[in-house]
Amino acid sequence: MGSPGVPAGARARVITVSDRVYAGGYADSSGPLAAGALGRIGFVVDDVVVVPDESDAIVTALKAAVSAGVHLVVTTGGTGLAPRDVTPEATRLVIDREVPGLAEALRAAGRAKVPTAVLSRGIAGVRGGTLVVNLPGSTGGVADGVTVLAGVVGHAVAQIRGGGDHGRTDFRDDDHDHVGPPGRVIADRAHGGGAHSGGAGGAHGTGGAEDGGRGPRKMG
């Protein structure tokens, strides 16, 4: 699975937002799944960073990725309707511009399979040279989301960095300080699989069962 035009050396980072995973009470599966899929698209993927469902922690992790010169940041979890689902609100504190069409395409990708996919409040946006995308916490939602990203994210990253059809095709020499990620780095990017169940119902739930224990676990 390749993405058209992913620039050589483009970097991605996955941030898992989950109280339970952060506390060590639940194994992360959506984060490593997203990281592995982004690697197959063509990104150089950092280790997965895990933070709790706390706005300050999410904002810190996102800003660290931007400071490190990461081209694409994908968050998983915290996009639903539960009281502690604050990933979209935290993301809005970081980004400069939203990309609403991408967020809507991500919701639509899961809607035909799982009606509750429309309850995801995930957003997408840009800060500086970094594209930030919120995905649900379920493995099904992550898989559908990365499929959508695969078709457009290479072009998006090139445009954001001033390229598009006419600009840079190699990002290996970016002039950025490579700041290490905050939070707990507990998952290797090469591993995927497992299942996070949907907190809002079904395998493609919006928050994921790992987010503060919301919803039953369901193997996908």
Side-chain angles (χ1 to χ4, degrees), residues 98-136:
E98 287 199 38
V99 187
L102 180 54
E104 293 307 319
L106 292 167
R107 268 183 284 277
R111 184 173 55 200
K113 302 175 185 177
V114 180
T116 53
V118 300
L119 299 178
S120 173
R121 300 182 302 107
I123 67 170
V126 177
R127 171 154 174 161
T130 302
L131 175 65
V132 180
V133 178
N134 299 154
L135 294 183

Side-chain angles (χ1 to χ4, degrees), residues 7-162:
R11 292 175 58 207
R13 182 177 295 177
V14 176
I15 300 171
T16 295
V17 182
S18 167
D19 287 333
R20 291 181 66 189
V21 174
Y22 184 77
Y26 191 80
D28 186 15
S29 52
S30 63
L33 177 65
L38 293 174
R40 289 189 292 275
I41 288 174
F43 285 93
V44 177
V45 187
D46 296 347
D47 288 332
V48 175
V49 175
V50 179
V51 298
D53 291 276
E54 299 285 353
S55 181
D56 289 348
I58 299 166
V59 168
T60 297
L62 290 173
K63 287 184 176 180
V66 173
S67 296
V70 173
H71 302 85
L72 170 67
V73 181
V74 171
T75 69
T76 72
T79 64
L81 304 180
R84 288 185 63 78
D85 286 336
V86 297
T87 301
E89 287 75 17
T91 301
R92 283 195 175 93
L93 296 176
V94 174
I95 61 174
D96 299 317
R97 299 178 290 162
E98 287 199 38
V99 187
L102 180 54
E104 293 307 319
L106 292 167
R107 268 183 284 277
R111 184 173 55 200
K113 302 175 185 177
V114 180
T116 53
V118 300
L119 299 178
S120 173
R121 300 182 302 107
I123 67 170
V126 177
R127 171 154 174 161
T130 302
L131 175 65
V132 180
V133 178
N134 299 154
L135 294 183
S138 67
T139 54
V142 167
D144 287 341
V146 174
T147 298
V148 172
L149 290 177
V152 300
V153 72
H155 186 67
V157 167
Q159 280 195 324
I160 291 166
R161 294 294 174 113

